């Protein structure tokens, strides 16, 4: 097969910009799309060769090579998005990938921290931090993560003006730069207020970031993950991450009677189907309680 830069390969970079700026895909997703489409160019490097049969061969070979269902699903998504984009530009006469079927991905149910243990994790999470300012910061971050269910990147992206303590609202920038407002309660408000009043000035440099690291700049996601993991260990819960707290928040909200669409809006899910996974978690827990409590279970 030709190793020269063909039409499809040459168009990939333009498509990558479209996927990020117009479709709102994350940088990591775009990077995956680009890698997939460059591989696809070995099967269909010209727009005339960009056919449904070529796309199916590409996926079949990947399946034969033992690629995971998640990888196959991502490749299918990349091909579909690229095909629609090329069709709208007039590069191809038909949207060849529109009929391409993605394999179903078996999504594992998320790990959830039990209610009382989640409280212990948040309250004792920063207890062994000898630095007073870092203690206040870590406590505020843990409280806010559990109170809101926001992603770790959304937490580290918060600026001072994004958090309204009086009203208990955080203005969050999510995937694709989509904005949403997320409520939080009194415990989180008190922790964030203490951090702002007694801790932040000691650490912060010239930045508008809500949470800062020891060098004064915006705290990075890796540091937050380490803080959450250590908090879990102190609370006797292994392998806890910010995403675990996000799952926990959603599950506890639903178990407390929150409407599914409210939780969807709070988490920033585009599709209600994504939020529905938490109903399965709640149902599993209900079944365990039933089996233990009902005399004829």
């Amino acid at each position: 097969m030709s190793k020269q830069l063909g039409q499809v390969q040459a168009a990939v970079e333009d498509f990558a910009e479209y996927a990020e700026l117009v479709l709102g895909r994350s940088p990591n997703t775009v990077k995956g799309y680009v890698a997939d489409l460059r591989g696809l160019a070995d099967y269909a490097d010209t727009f005339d060769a960009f056919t449904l049969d070529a796309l199916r061969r590409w996926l079949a070979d990947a399946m034969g090579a033992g690629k995971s269902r998640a990888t196959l699903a991502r490749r299918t998504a990349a091909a579909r998005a690229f095909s629609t984009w090329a069709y709208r530009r007039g590069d191809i006469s038909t949207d060849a990938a529109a009929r391409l079927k993605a394999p179903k991905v078996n999504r594992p149910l998320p790990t959830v921290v039990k209610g009382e243990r989640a409280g212990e994790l948040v309250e004792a999470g920063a207890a062994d931090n000898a630095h007073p300012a870092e203690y206040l910061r870590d406590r505020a971050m843990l409280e806010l993560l559990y109170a809101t269910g926001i992603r770790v990147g959304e937490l580290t992206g918060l600026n001072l003006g994004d958090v309204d303590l009086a009203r208990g609202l955080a203005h969050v920038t999510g995937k694709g730069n989509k904005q949403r407002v997320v409520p939080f309660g009194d415990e989180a408000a008190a922790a964030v207020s203490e951090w702002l009043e007694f801790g932040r000035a000691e650490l912060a440099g010239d930045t508008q970031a809500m949470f800062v690291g020891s060098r004064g700049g915006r705290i990075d996601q890796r540091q937050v993950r380490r803080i959450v993991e250590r908090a879990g260990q102190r609370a006797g819960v292994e392998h806890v991450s910010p995403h675990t707290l996000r799952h926990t928040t959603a599950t506890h909200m639903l178990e407390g009677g929150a409407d599914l669409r409210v939780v969807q809006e709070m988490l920033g899910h585009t599709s209600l189907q994504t939020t529905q996974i938490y109903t399965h978690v709640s149902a599993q827990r209900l079944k365990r309680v039933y089996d233990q409590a009902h005399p004829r279970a």
Side-chain angles (χ1 to χ4, degrees), residues 7-264:
Q7 291 174 316
V8 172
Q9 187 111 289
V12 168
E13 293 303 326
D14 286 342
F15 167 73
E17 186 175 359
Y18 167 83
E20 183 170 0
L21 298 181
V22 179
L23 298 182
R25 301 293 188 262
S26 71
N28 284 338
T29 297
V30 173
K31 185 178 179 180
Y33 280 7
V34 168
D36 291 335
L37 293 170
R38 284 175 177 164
L40 172 59
D42 288 336
Y43 292 77
D45 203 19
T46 67
F47 287 122
D48 285 342
F50 193 85
T51 64
L52 182 58
D53 286 342
L55 295 171
R56 284 172 172 167
R57 286 198 306 274
W58 173 56
L59 288 179
D61 285 353
M63 190 177 297
K67 299 295 184 183
S68 69
R69 287 191 175 189
T71 297
L72 294 170
R74 190 196 64 213
R75 288 190 175 191
T76 304
R80 282 177 172 171
F82 179 81
S83 180
T84 300
W85 171 79
Y87 174 68
R88 288 174 177 170
R89 288 210 318 175
D91 295 324
I92 53 179
S93 58
T94 59
D95 190 348
R99 293 168 54 199
L100 201 62
K101 292 184 179 179
K104 291 185 178 179
V105 179
N106 294 324
R107 302 178 66 182
L109 291 177
T111 301
V112 174
V113 182
K114 292 182 179 179
E116 63 277 8
R117 190 61 64 85
E120 292 171 10
L121 185 155
V122 169
E123 291 173 7
D128 67 351
N129 195 325
H131 195 297
E134 291 183 0
Y135 165 80
L136 293 174
R137 177 201 64 198
D138 295 355
R139 174 69 187 274
M141 291 194 303
L142 289 165
E143 287 281 7
L144 204 55
L145 282 170
Y146 179 47
T148 61
I150 60 177
R151 303 175 179 93
V152 63
E154 294 169 345
L155 177 84
T156 59
L158 287 174
N159 289 323
L160 292 172
D162 293 333
V163 178
D164 185 339
L165 291 174
R167 299 172 64 194
L169 298 173
H171 296 261
V172 177
T173 302
K175 291 184 176 180
N177 287 323
K178 292 181 179 178
Q179 309 283 322
R180 69 184 191 279
V181 178
V182 183
F184 55 87
D186 292 342
E187 294 288 346
V192 173
S193 179
E194 278 193 83
W195 153 244
L196 292 176
E197 187 173 356
F198 302 112
R200 186 180 180 278
E202 187 174 341
L203 296 178
D206 184 17
T207 176
Q208 288 299 304
M210 170 62 70
F211 297 111
V212 297
S214 57
R215 296 183 179 179
R218 186 181 299 273
I219 197 167
D220 65 46
Q221 296 183 28
R222 287 176 298 178
Q223 188 173 355
V224 177
R225 290 190 180 97
R226 286 195 297 269
I227 291 166
V228 173
E229 185 176 6
R230 288 199 300 267
Q233 291 170 351
R234 286 191 289 271
V237 184
E238 295 296 326
H239 310 301
V240 177
S241 69
H243 219 61
T244 306
L245 291 181
R246 178 171 165 83
H247 295 321
T248 300
T249 301
T251 303
H252 290 177
M253 288 283 293
L254 288 171
E255 289 178 344
D259 182 80
L260 191 63
R261 291 196 177 276
V262 171
V263 177
Q264 176 193 6

